[in-house]
Amino acid sequence: MIKTALGFIFTPDFKQVLLIGKNRPQWQVGKINGVGGKCEANESFEECISREVKEEANVLIPPAKWREIATLHWQEWEAKVLAAIWSGSVNEVKSLTDEKVAWFPVSQLPSNVMANLKWLIPLSIDALQTQEIAVVEVHYE
């Protein structure tokens, strides 16, 4: 089983979300997705997303600050969707790889976002605002 973490970072007013333009894997090229990647051996999903966000966007959000939103299952993959609020300056965020990170208005996501972001982002906001939403399990066939 390949474990991955997918993270959505929001400004405190929930008007902007940090996303990344994908150059890989091949099936995501040209798409916009949340920040994330594969978990290393013995790494929790929260540790993974914390590391990936630091490596890709120059943002340090400790593992304990991430909230699990959903688990996505397909074939040999398991992806945890996590969300957090960034209270620092949006200007501190910068791309550290060839995949460019940027803040996007939640109300006007670009047309080339990964399809499931259209419901994962609102679900993440609801979960962060209310703390009442249980973790969602999604199984792709």
Side-chain angles (χ1 to χ4, degrees):
M1 177 76 56
I2 299 170
K3 295 175 20 176
T4 64
L6 175 64
F8 299 111
I9 302 168
F10 298 93
T11 54
D13 62 6
F14 295 102
K15 290 185 178 181
Q16 296 185 80
V17 61
L18 186 68
L19 301 174
I20 189 167
K22 298 300 293 175
N23 294 331
R24 59 193 164 280
Q26 185 59 40
W27 62 276
Q28 289 189 35
V29 171
K31 298 285 187 178
I32 304 290
N33 204 351
V35 179
K38 292 180 187 173
C39 296
E40 296 177 355
N42 301 316
E43 185 177 50
S44 72
F45 288 101
E46 292 82 5
E47 291 167 335
C48 175
I49 195 61
S50 185
R51 174 184 53 77
E52 288 285 346
V53 167
K54 180 64 178 161
E55 291 174 357
E56 295 177 353
N58 194 47
V59 171
L60 179 58
I61 298 175
K65 296 287 186 183
W66 289 93
R67 173 128 195 286
E68 184 177 347
I69 306 300
T71 304
L72 310 177
H73 304 273
W74 70 100
Q75 298 176 357
E76 72 277 1
W77 292 76
E78 177 182 55
K80 294 281 185 188
V81 178
L82 302 114
I85 298 169
W86 174 245
S87 55
S89 168
V90 294
N91 297 326
E92 292 177 55
V93 174
K94 63 180 177 180
S95 302
L96 298 179
T97 71
D98 64 323
E99 295 183 313
K100 302 302 178 203
V101 294
W103 292 100
F104 289 88
V106 169
S107 63
Q108 296 178 327
L109 294 175
S111 61
N112 62 330
V113 296
M114 297 293 293
N116 59 5
L117 268 62
K118 294 173 185 170
W119 61 269
L120 283 172
I121 289 173
L123 178 67
S124 297
I125 292 170
D126 286 348
L128 288 171
Q129 286 180 327
T130 67
Q131 299 293 317
E132 296 174 2
I133 295 181
V135 175
V136 174
E137 291 277 332
V138 178
H139 295 267
Y140 292 97
E141 294 184 16

